Amino acid sequence: MKIIITGSLGNIGKPLTTKLVAAGHNVMVISSNEDRKTAIENLGAKAAIGSVSDTAFLAQTFAGADALFAMTPPNLGGSNVILNTVNAGKSFAEAIEKAGVKRVVMLSSIGAHLENGTGPIKGLYQIEKLYEKLENTAVTFLRAGFFFTNLYNDVPMIKGAGIIGSNYSADTKIPFVHPEDIATAVAEELQKETSGKNIRYIISDVRMPAEVAKVLGTAIDKTDLPWIEFTDEQSLQGMAQAGLPEEIAGLYTEMGSGLRSGKIAEDFFKTNASVDGKIKLEDFAKEFTAKF
């Protein structure tokens, strides 16, 4: 199969490329960075260098492809984030239609069933709606959990204040996912024969923040590491002090509020979706310790 991968060689793209090349597929990886070309080719794939907001480039690159992994960049700039993300999604959808790609796996998220109140996930809701209109393309919406790797953002807080936390409580049930497990699920879906529009959740573990604090704290020899629930205002202020643009801080605060209320994860739990990922919190804690 000729398979196109977007997202360059990130935490998902690199293991996904490796898996698909090993399976004997003709793989092309899209990157906006010319410096990635050699690394892509060293994995046995071809490189296509260009912008995912450029419909003509995408349509040309998608031509003749049997399948596509569509990963829209989550933060296109420090302002108008949702609009920029959705516009990139429109470019993808138009290019898919022009090129006649028959099989697409789109990286989405828990909470993408909701139109509002989800922070940056709102853009994925709108992109899912765009892809639903693709008449001759089978699409799997791969709704991923909260990335374990997002916890690296808390390292400065742990080192500086001796705490970990966010604007949701210690007993909130959070579906987590590891990028490696996403790569495995994407590879499975790309190689399947399917039709219509389908939703698959990819979750590695379901844990509470209190457990996150305990497991990570034990791994880094801070056994008394507490999970602290911040107010939305405290969350906003903390991210602003860390240098995040105001708009992005607001979106992440809104996402935290959605996790706190349970609405972001509600569809995952309501549908009794399986936990397919293999990498659990304790496994991730070893990676976290190595980078701490």
Side-chain angles (χ1 to χ4, degrees):
M1 293 173 66
K2 180 180 178 181
I3 300 176
I4 310 295
I5 296 174
T6 58
S8 193
L9 294 183
N11 290 334
I12 299 169
K14 187 173 182 178
L16 175 58
T17 300
T18 302
K19 292 174 190 293
L20 293 174
V21 169
H25 297 291
N26 177 3
V27 180
M28 179 174 286
V29 178
I30 293 177
S31 177
S32 61
N33 188 348
E34 179 72 36
D35 293 341
R36 288 283 195 173
K37 187 174 185 292
T38 300
I40 291 168
E41 292 173 347
N42 286 343
L43 291 178
K46 296 176 184 176
I49 308 300
S51 170
V52 294
S53 297
D54 183 341
T55 305
F57 162 73
L58 291 176
Q60 183 180 11
T61 305
F62 294 171
D66 298 298
L68 164 71
F69 171 51
M71 178 178 169
T72 312
N75 288 327
L76 292 171
S79 60
N80 299 316
V81 172
I82 300 299
L83 177 62
N84 292 342
T85 302
V86 174
N87 283 341
K90 287 178 181 177
S91 294
F92 270 74
E94 290 173 14
I96 289 165
E97 201 162 35
K98 285 181 181 178
V101 182
K102 301 298 183 186
R103 179 77 180 109
V104 172
V105 177
M106 174 203 159
L107 183 62
S108 189
S109 171
I110 55 170
H113 64 293
L114 296 169
E115 185 175 2
N116 290 299
T118 59
I121 300 169
K122 179 180 178 179
L124 295 172
Y125 165 87
Q126 294 184 45
I127 294 172
E128 281 198 13
K129 295 304 177 187
L130 289 170
Y131 283 27
E132 284 176 4
K133 296 175 183 176
L134 294 170
E135 293 184 0
N136 300 309
T137 303
V139 182
T140 296
F141 300 110
L142 194 65
R143 290 182 178 170
F146 188 88
F147 281 35
F148 275 133
T149 48
N150 287 341
L151 294 168
Y152 289 132
N153 297 330
D154 295 322
V155 168
M157 188 193 314
I158 296 171
K159 288 186 173 181
I163 62 172
I164 184 172
S166 190
N167 60 328
Y168 41 90
S169 70
D171 60 358
T172 306
K173 291 176 70 176
I174 308 289
F176 286 96
V177 72
H178 194 285
E180 287 269 1
D181 284 334
I182 295 175
T184 298
V186 172
E188 291 172 358
E189 292 296 330
L190 286 171
Q191 297 174 89
K192 277 184 185 177
E193 286 191 19
T194 188
S195 61
K197 308 297 185 285
N198 306 282
I199 294 169
R200 174 180 172 181
Y201 282 95
I202 178 62
I203 306 297
S204 301
D205 207 355
V206 178
R207 304 296 282 265
M208 295 184 293
E211 296 175 287
V212 171
K214 182 177 181 180
V215 172
L216 295 187
T218 299
I220 59 174
D221 294 324
K222 294 182 182 292
T223 53
D224 59 348
L225 182 68
W227 179 272
I228 304 297
E229 180 182 0
F230 306 132
T231 66
D232 289 348
E233 184 178 358
Q234 288 171 331
S235 183
L236 267 173
Q237 289 176 345
M239 283 187 276
Q241 288 171 0
L244 263 67
E246 183 179 352
E247 181 180 334
I248 293 176
L251 288 170
Y252 280 119
T253 298
E254 184 177 84
M255 182 172 68
S257 176
L259 288 167
R260 182 178 69 229
S261 70
K263 66 182 182 180
I264 283 179
E266 66 184 358
D267 189 69
F268 165 73
F269 290 119
K270 185 174 69 176
T271 56
N272 292 315
S274 60
V275 177
D276 295 333
K278 305 301 182 188
I279 301 173
K280 306 304 178 186
L281 175 61
E282 287 76 10
D283 302 313
F284 172 71
K286 297 172 185 176
E287 300 175 26
F288 188 87
T289 302
K291 292 193 176 184
F292 183 71

